[in-house]
Amino acid sequence: MRVLYFAWVRQKVGVAEEEVSPPESVRDVAGLVAWLAARSPGHAAAFAQPRQVRAAVNQDFAAPDAPVRPGDEVAFFPPVTGG
Amino acid sequence: MRVLYFAWVRQKVGVAEEEVSPPESVRDVAGLVAWLAARSPGHAAAFAQPRQVRAAVNQDFAAPDAPVRPGDEVAFFPPVTGG
Amino acid sequence: MSRAAPTIRVQAEPFDLAAESAALAAGRVDVGGLASFVGLCRADDGLAALVLEHYPGMTERAIARIAEEACARWPLTGCTVIHRHGRLEPGAPIVLVLTASAHRAAALEACAFLIDWLKTRAPFWKREEFAGGTERWVEAKAEDDLAASRWDDAAAARRGETP
Amino acid sequence: MSRAAPTIRVQAEPFDLAAESAALAAGRVDVGGLASFVGLCRADDGLAALVLEHYPGMTERAIARIAEEACARWPLTGCTVIHRHGRLEPGAPIVLVLTASAHRAAALEACAFLIDWLKTRAPFWKREEFAGGTERWVEAKAEDDLAASRWDDAAAARRGETP
């Protein structure tokens, strides 16, 4: 599973992307967040306030209960501020 | 008093502008319309449906009861269709 | 925020959207949004040309008032209205409205307001010329009056009145 | 009326309002109104530059969806969205939205809709760089969510639902 980070989430995690292999028990975005948050102090800081972090699965915005599967591209980022 | 005509009002009257000297009894736009309508068949045709004709006095839109005085510039035209 | 006086022109010649747009933002760093509207001549029903007549003198005056009203209702840093007259063929641009503001909502709303009010308050008249040689004066549309009147409601609503 | 596919570009380079605008009207006689919005970088609070990060791939996809939604809601003859990324200094244009339609209301409303939805649904993030060397990520604004949500209300109202 490919995980991408953007904006201050990327800065806190310390990398822009990584390949991860979460256990089978990680089935949705919320589960992935909990699992990623335990990987490093940077990850923990990035996900300290989960409501500040948005997700996309395979380049579509995704809610916390959206399923994630091996092979997915999952991205985490702050609320968008373009335009 | 200078009177200007635009669009189909001008076409029906037959001239784009004219100098007129209405009697003192003509005190407002409605009175001027009634007086002008009697000047020629063209004028009569132009003012046959007074509600289809708008007026301006000294280059400001004016209601039928707006006063008109010697020296004024009064214009008559259909509802505007610019933009 | 400094407000520029509106730029208003009534002309037979085409206008230059890019140049007018650049002029509203040139040398400024307080403009966050530039909205524009360009009205063009459509070839409906075999239209060969539109001939736009106007009331020289009153036209500029009426547009100036409409632009002043927009500047009073929204915090614009600039505003440009250019309206053409004369014979215009299908595809030709007729009118340009440009508004600049620190924020997008002001620029967009003022732009829509300006074109709505121009349609109902600027002394222009359109005559349609068709391929067969027939002509017809365009009639004022009730929908244009309705579009213009929503801004009365908006102003009333801001003042706390029931529209 | 033939509908053109939306033009969508995400690029570091500036865009050309006049060329993009001309492209939407070129060779057509069914376009009655062209609306545009250009968002620019303001120099608020001593801002030296905005740095725009985005999510390559998803960005284009998200903008394409927003443009499709606009084309589904309004009878547009054309629609262009260009969004820049990278380092942009005060005065620089950031985003261009252009809409074309037979009638002005469709073009103006779709233009406002597109910029509102871009603000809340396109994966861009702005970092502010200040003269003193400090940096700050721009936070999403509640007013932008509100501006975007009025289009939900508008769609609901058209479907006869209570917003």
Side-chain angles (χ1 to χ4, degrees), chain B residues 27-48:
Chain B
R27 294 202 181 82
D28 58 20
V29 168
L32 181 60
V33 165
W35 184 79
L36 287 168
R39 277 171 67 89
S40 81
H43 287 80
F47 292 110

Side-chain angles (χ1 to χ4, degrees), chain D residues 63-121:
Chain D
I63 298 177
R65 286 196 175 184
I66 295 166
E68 280 160 25
E69 181 68 26
C71 291
R73 292 184 182 211
W74 290 278
L76 303 182
T77 58
C79 161
T80 299
V81 177
I82 304 178
H83 205 305
R84 298 177 69 187
H85 60 84
R87 193 172 191 277
L88 300 170
E89 298 187 352
I94 302 171
V95 59
L96 168 67
V97 173
L98 261 174
T99 51
S101 180
H103 299 285
R104 73 183 185 286
L108 287 162
E109 287 177 21
C111 184
F113 165 85
L114 281 163
I115 188 67
D116 280 347
W117 271 34
L118 282 170
K119 287 253 172 197
T120 54
R121 300 189 184 217

Side-chain angles (χ1 to χ4, degrees), chain A residues 4 6-8 10-11 56 58-61 73 75 77-83, chain D residues 53-55 57-58 61 65 83 95 119-126 137-138 140:
Chain A
L4 311 180
F6 293 97
W8 58 253
R10 170 180 51 73
Q11 289 180 319
N58 298 326
Q59 306 191 350
D60 283 324
F61 289 105
E73 174 177 305
F77 42 76
V80 304
T81 57
Chain D
E53 181 171 335
H54 76 113
Y55 181 172
M58 180 173 168
R61 203 178 145 97
R65 286 196 175 184
H83 205 305
V95 59
K119 287 253 172 197
T120 54
R121 300 189 184 217
F124 287 91
W125 301 275
K126 289 190 184 114
W137 288 97
V138 174

Side-chain angles (χ1 to χ4, degrees), chain B residues 8 11 81, chain C residues 44-47 49-51 125-130 133-139:
Chain B
W8 57 254
Q11 291 181 319
T81 57
Chain C
D44 295 358
D45 308 323
L47 184 90
L50 278 181
V51 180
W125 301 275
K126 288 190 184 116
R127 193 176 77 231
E128 296 174 324
E129 296 183 351
F130 295 95
T134 55
E135 296 188 351
R136 183 175 67 190
W137 288 98
V138 174
E139 286 187 41

Side-chain angles (χ1 to χ4, degrees), chain B residues 22-64:
Chain B
E24 274 191 28
S25 59
V26 169
R27 294 202 181 82
D28 58 20
V29 168
L32 181 60
V33 165
W35 184 79
L36 287 168
R39 277 171 67 89
S40 81
H43 287 80
F47 292 110
Q49 293 177 291
R51 298 187 53 170
Q52 302 282 338
V53 179
R54 299 286 182 273
V57 175
N58 297 326
Q59 305 191 350
D60 282 325
F61 289 106

